[in-house]
Amino acid sequence: MAIKVIAPGLATTVQDLGRPGYYHLGIPLSGAMDRYALVCANLLVGNDEGAACLECVFMGPELEFTRDAVVAVTGADLPPKVDGEERETWTSFPVKAGQRLSFSFLKAGARAYIAVSGGIDVPVVLGSRSTYALGALGGHEGRALAAGDTLPVGAGAGRAGRSVPAALRRMPGKPAELRMLPGLYWHRITAEAGRHFFADTWKVAPEADRIGYRFRGGRPLDFVPREQPFGAGSDPSNIVDACYPYGSIQVPGGTEPIVLHRDAVSGGGYFMLGTVISADMDLIGQMQPHTETRFVEVDMATALKARHDREAGLQKVRDALA
Amino acid sequence: MTARYSFGGDEHVFVEVDEEMSLEAFFKSLSITNAVKQAGIRGVTEICPANASFQIKFDPDVISPDDMLAELKSLEAAAEKAESRIQTRIIEVPVFYRDPWTTETLMRFRERHQDPNSTDIEYAARINGYATVDDFIKAHSGAPWFVSMVGFVAGLPFLYQMVERKRQIQVPKYLRPRTDTPKLTVGIGGCFGCIYSVRGAGGYQMFGITPMPIYDPKQEISYLRDFMVFFRPGDIVKWKPIDRAEYDDTVAAVAANRYMPKVREVTFDLDEFNKDIDGYNARLEGVLNGH
């Protein structure tokens, strides 16, 4: 069984739950930007939760199937079509051999996940099928899909006509709210700058991809004066190059915050304000450029509660589809 | 040197061993991260040593953040007494300084540079007080460098020069980062040297290029067959200036899979090093060159 790529979309890649264990060598986690949506897509078509799917951004690909399969599309509201006839998102549907899967225009969100019964069966590299394009690693030949590619698909029957209840489909609010635990180099900015950071409404900048999301529109940060330590570099936003936590917020030059995501650079010389909590990282993957965003200060107890709530939501999806 | 602990969200502990860079801070970071590895703490998913800091990623469903923090603090105390001695490798890395590819790239991004009227290496030579670029190259390649972190992108080594602080080369990063850097560019930002393992964005000053690949995701190159990333923290690098002819020969040898980097096993002792830096470096170079 295989899928022929007729048109690749904008930046469609193979992703699963990611590749932990190699961050200390600069090889990032990778995996789906919205892992909640990826797990839902896999559950809908009867795959293992971590099977490899296609992640597409803003625009869907056009694909031709060489045998019957069950397909589900979750995440962004990017309506799928089978031979031109529209299908529902968050719902599994059959695609027959020879039929083409394509997509209408994006209505909401940014990234859709296409699960196929059996999973996308590209080779496992360092424990994952995810694409890390910068390092030409994993996925289909280490890169985004191109017209003419053929993707192998594993064996799996799947069941059509199953749906994730609307209340369990997770999307960012308006404005989007990202909960964040201050820390790391928070002490480098003044108390007033810290208040502004949370008070201001930020907007997603056009530079928003799998490496990181940049934000604009808030007031520039003021730094607590200090003599820069040896090796850090002269700008007050510079530090001695260190590790960047997944989800950490760096602010080069104190002007535009960048939240690092699944293909993050693993380290560097910019100070960080803190880290977006793990439960909210999925939401970033669904934010389009210009999305209004607020950063909301939380403590560790709230972060852990939110993590628990996200997992409880997934458990409800598992129960609903069992 | 008092370590500062901070949580990176609900999945990371970030530990700044020291605000400023030094080999002492690096050794302490390496020693604690090795102790974390040996302790086998349940729930730890990533251990990432950096230059003067490190980061632990953990699963808070397995170990609570407070317990994780307490475990690390107890290991810090043990690491204080650790020996500053490691078994490592010294590696000769050929560099073609002032090569045409980084020169073309730096000219393309001149408007992002502190001094648009000179090249990166001319600028670095001048602000570090060297009369000529040749003198600067002598300083860059004259003493070994220590791999104090691997990361940023796949397999990129950060390197710290093994000379007393007043002789260490320091340069600012580009005013705005470039969107392009040739693969295998050799550069410096702040006090750190690096080799760009892949083509991509970058902000360090560019001085030359090495013909020796250091990352191979396909694992086809003979010396990267066992693992796709060449460098590890603690490796020692000695640059060897080469000309265009040797660069071309080496590229051809790599393509034919008959190139092997010059690598020797060596013990590095920080206390002995600090007693006589130049003498110690000369002995390291002796090991590399087999005399």
Side-chain angles (χ1 to χ4, degrees):
Chain A
M1 160 70 175
I3 292 174
K4 287 185 205 159
V5 179
I6 309 298
L10 206 55
T12 306
T13 55
V14 178
Q15 298 293 344
D16 57 16
L17 288 174
R19 182 178 288 116
Y22 303 94
Y23 206 55
H24 65 292
L25 299 171
I27 298 174
L29 291 168
S30 297
M33 295 277 284
D34 183 347
R35 299 205 302 161
Y36 186 94
L38 175 119
V39 170
C40 288
N42 277 323
L43 289 169
L44 280 168
V45 301
N47 287 348
D48 287 344
E49 293 186 7
C53 294
L54 296 180
E55 177 184 274
C56 52
V57 55
F58 305 140
M59 202 182 132
E62 187 174 350
L63 308 170
E64 190 177 292
F65 286 65
T66 61
R67 79 149 157 72
D68 298 358
V70 174
V71 171
V73 177
T74 63
D77 193 358
L78 186 69
K81 295 187 289 190
V82 177
D83 281 350
E85 207 178 292
E86 209 162 284
R87 298 284 184 269
E88 276 185 63
T89 55
W90 297 89
T91 302
S92 59
F93 55 87
V95 178
K96 299 226 168 297
Q99 284 191 313
R100 282 192 181 190
L101 176 69
S102 64
F103 291 84
S104 296
F105 290 115
L106 179 73
K107 291 182 187 162
R111 283 177 180 78
Y113 294 86
I114 308 166
V116 180
S117 50
I120 307 296
D121 196 22
V122 295
V124 172
V125 182
L126 302 180
S128 165
R129 293 186 168 88
S130 288
T131 314
Y132 168 46
L134 193 59
L137 187 73
H140 179 73
E141 295 177 5
R143 57 165 171 81
L145 299 188
D149 286 346
T150 300
L151 296 171
V153 176
R159 240 168 69 199
R162 306 199 303 165
S163 195
V164 172
L168 297 175
R169 303 173 188 180
R170 260 182 115 221
M171 289 294 275
K174 285 183 181 164
E177 286 191 347
L178 297 178
R179 288 169 288 185
M180 173 249 197
L181 198 65
L184 305 174
Y185 292 82
W186 179 262
H187 60 280
R188 292 287 303 114
I189 59 167
T190 63
E192 193 187 23
R195 282 192 296 275
H196 291 169
F197 177 75
F198 289 119
D200 289 348
T201 299
W202 299 84
K203 276 188 178 175
V204 176
E207 302 92 335
D209 58 20
R210 294 184 45 84
I211 295 172
Y213 259 59
R214 186 184 281 260
F215 293 84
R216 283 183 187 156
R219 283 167 278 190
L221 303 176
D222 286 322
F223 291 88
V224 177
R226 73 162 171 181
E227 192 185 320
Q228 282 291 95
F230 178 81
S234 48
D235 192 276
S237 70
N238 290 166
I239 57 168
V240 167
D241 296 54
C243 297
Y244 291 151
Y246 164 64
S248 61
I249 306 174
Q250 55 177 258
V251 196
T255 55
E256 295 180 350
I258 300 169
V259 181
L260 291 178
H261 220 291
R262 302 293 310 184
D263 286 354
V265 288
S266 71
Y270 291 116
F271 94 115
M272 301 154 273
L273 286 177
T275 310
V276 174
I277 66 173
S278 62
D280 287 357
M281 291 301 289
D282 297 319
L283 302 177
I284 296 175
Q286 297 304 349
M287 288 158 58
Q288 300 178 357
H290 311 299
T291 300
E292 292 199 339
T293 308
R294 300 283 300 274
F295 292 96
V296 179
E297 181 177 5
V298 295
D299 60 13
M300 182 63 87
T302 309
L304 293 175
K305 169 75 165 50
R307 184 184 176 87
H308 176 82
D309 291 348
R310 177 188 178 277
E311 179 54 31
L314 264 188
Q315 191 54 46
K316 281 185 192 161
V317 176
R318 289 182 196 114
D319 294 344
L321 298 178
Chain B
M1 214 189 294
T2 312
R4 185 175 65 79
Y5 291 79
S6 181
F7 287 115
D10 46 313
E11 294 185 334
H12 310 82
V13 180
F14 180 89
V15 185
E16 185 185 60
V17 171
D18 199 354
E19 264 202 324
E20 64 172 31
M21 181 58 193
S22 65
L23 280 177
E24 284 70 18
F26 166 80
F27 265 85
K28 191 171 163 187
S29 158
L30 188 69
S31 162
I32 306 173
T33 49
N34 283 337
V36 175
K37 243 175 261 166
Q38 280 155 20
I41 304 164
R42 277 187 68 232
V44 169
T45 59
E46 304 258 6
I47 302 169
C48 304
N51 297 307
S53 59
F54 66 92
Q55 165 181 309
I56 306 294
K57 189 164 194 278
F58 65 97
D59 180 350
D61 302 332
V62 176
I63 181 168
S64 82
D66 286 338
D67 288 349
M68 188 69 233
L69 195 64
E71 292 268 12
L72 292 181
K73 284 184 173 168
S74 72
L75 292 170
E76 185 198 347
E80 295 280 7
K81 292 177 228 109
E83 246 190 306
S84 306
R85 215 173 124 94
I86 53 168
Q87 286 300 319
T88 187
R89 311 182 290 178
I90 182 163
I91 301 141
E92 184 175 88
V93 178
V95 188
F96 177 21
Y97 291 93
R98 290 178 283 193
D99 65 287
W101 305 282
T102 59
T103 304
E104 185 277 326
T105 307
L106 68 89
M107 292 313 290
R108 213 165 2 113
F109 291 98
R110 228 52 220 141
E111 89 290 357
R112 300 179 183 220
H113 195 268
Q114 288 81 359
D115 182 358
N117 295 316
S118 59
T119 62
D120 290 10
I121 200 165
E122 287 164 358
Y123 169 73
R126 192 173 67 245
I127 65 166
N128 282 280
Y130 293 99
T132 66
V133 169
D134 287 335
D135 289 345
F136 178 81
I137 291 171
K138 265 185 211 140
H140 184 259
S141 60
W145 295 64
F146 206 87
V147 176
S148 49
M149 176 173 169
V150 177
F152 180 61
V153 291
L156 179 151
F158 287 82
L159 300 138
Y160 184 70
Q161 201 178 15
M162 295 164 67
V163 292
E164 61 269 32
R165 185 167 287 185
K166 66 176 190 318
R167 276 167 62 200
Q168 278 172 347
I169 297 165
Q170 280 205 85
V171 292
K173 294 159 199 168
Y174 269 47
L175 296 172
R176 283 182 300 128
R178 297 177 304 274
T179 53
D180 192 19
T181 309
K183 185 174 158 180
L184 298 175
T185 289
V186 172
I188 302 190
C191 73
F192 294 106
C194 86
I195 304 170
Y196 285 87
S197 52
V198 296
R199 184 177 176 180
Y204 280 21
Q205 308 277 342
M206 300 182 288
F207 302 147
I209 200 158
T210 176
M212 178 184 144
I214 57 168
Y215 168 69
D216 177 20
K218 295 198 168 120
Q219 293 179 256
E220 287 167 354
I221 296 171
S222 58
Y223 59 93
L224 294 168
R225 211 164 272 157
D226 289 342
F227 196 63
M228 59 183 75
V229 168
F230 183 74
F231 283 108
R232 36 190 197 245
D235 280 341
I236 295 168
V237 167
K238 184 73 173 51
W239 308 112
K240 180 195 172 201
I242 58 169
D243 60 12
R244 177 67 192 257
E246 189 170 351
Y247 176 86
D248 289 343
D249 287 350
T250 311
V251 167
V254 168
N257 225 343
R258 56 185 161 74
Y259 176 76
M260 277 303 279
K262 194 168 173 186
V263 180
R264 299 281 181 275
E265 300 292 321
V266 71
T267 303
F268 180 79
D269 185 315
L270 182 59
D271 299 328
E272 291 300 312
F273 170 80
N274 281 331
K275 279 181 205 158
D276 172 18
I277 290 175
D278 290 337
Y280 198 91
N281 285 341
R283 290 205 292 281
L284 284 175
E285 214 174 323
V287 173
L288 181 67
N289 295 313
H291 52 70

